[in-house]
Amino acid sequence: MFYKDSDGNRYRIGKPFTYQGYAYGTALANHPKFMELGFTQVIIAPRPDDNYYIVTGPDLNGQYTTTPRDLDKLKENQITKEKQVANQILSKTDWMVIRAMDVGVAIAAVPADVSNFRSTMRGVCDARCTAINSTVSVEELETLVKAPVQIYDQETETYITNPDPHLPPWPNEESN
């Protein structure tokens, strides 16, 4: 939040300032004094996400100007992140697969629950990447990536699956 005078100069609470030849100290840099002087209080809008937009501002009205970043590059970066998450989670069981390949499945088979989990993980990663690739705007991509899997339903007072588009949740090892 800041205050502006008729010339567009900005003032902040607690910051000494000079106005029309008078110096005001920290104690007088407050809301009542700014209102008395005829300043306009400006509430700054929430800052858009710099990951998705080139952001400038805020302007004298507290608004930001945004330019969407390159959608294809954003998709590429997000897909890379998704694959890194999947690879990190799968890396915990990679040793089982390597051991089975090294000494033979007959001696050291990968447990079925581990194989199922790994398969599910790859499927979810593919679904997340497909959803990301299907977005047609930066705004749609941002909404998809940030959308929660569950939302609170006030009518039933419970959490329900988000009806809006969202990325499928990552499976956890305990559920397999």
Side-chain angles (χ1 to χ4, degrees):
M1 170 179 67
F2 62 89
Y3 297 82
K4 66 180 181 178
D5 64 20
S6 58
D7 294 330
N9 297 310
R10 296 180 188 199
Y11 304 89
R12 296 198 182 273
I13 290 177
K15 298 248 180 183
F17 66 99
T18 301
Y19 180 68
Q20 294 183 341
Y22 294 98
Y24 297 87
T26 303
L28 289 175
N30 57 42
H31 178 78
K33 179 53 78 176
F34 291 149
M35 294 290 91
E36 177 186 322
L37 294 171
F39 293 178
T40 303
Q41 182 180 17
V42 179
I43 305 297
I44 300 173
R47 183 179 176 87
D49 192 330
D50 291 293
N51 293 313
Y52 297 93
Y53 303 95
I54 299 167
V55 182
T56 56
D59 62 15
L60 282 176
N61 296 314
Q63 301 300 310
Y64 290 94
T65 303
T66 60
T67 303
R69 295 190 182 275
D70 179 71
L71 179 61
D72 292 332
K73 187 69 176 165
L74 289 172
K75 286 180 183 182
E76 179 184 322
N77 291 342
Q78 188 62 43
I79 287 171
T80 298
K81 288 178 188 175
E82 300 300 322
K83 289 180 178 181
Q84 286 172 342
V85 168
N87 286 334
Q88 181 181 10
I89 294 169
L90 288 172
S91 71
K92 296 173 189 172
T93 56
D94 283 350
W95 69 272
M96 292 181 194
V97 175
I98 294 167
R99 181 184 64 177
M101 292 171 48
D102 190 34
V103 298
V105 175
I107 298 170
V110 176
D113 61 332
V114 173
S115 290
N116 291 340
F117 172 74
R118 291 175 64 85
S119 179
T120 300
M121 178 59 72
R122 287 190 296 273
V124 169
C125 184
D126 289 346
R128 291 172 72 99
C129 292
T130 298
I132 290 163
N133 263 329
S134 69
T135 59
V136 296
S137 69
V138 170
E139 181 181 57
E140 184 181 354
L141 176 63
E142 179 184 19
T143 301
L144 176 71
V145 170
K146 292 181 175 182
V149 173
Q150 292 189 323
I151 58 171
Y152 187 73
D153 182 1
Q154 292 184 350
E155 284 183 28
T156 63
E157 296 183 352
T158 60
Y159 283 91
I160 61 169
T161 300
N162 189 349
D164 295 329
H166 60 278
L167 294 175
W170 291 108
N172 60 41
E173 296 171 84
E174 293 80 37
S175 65
N176 285 308

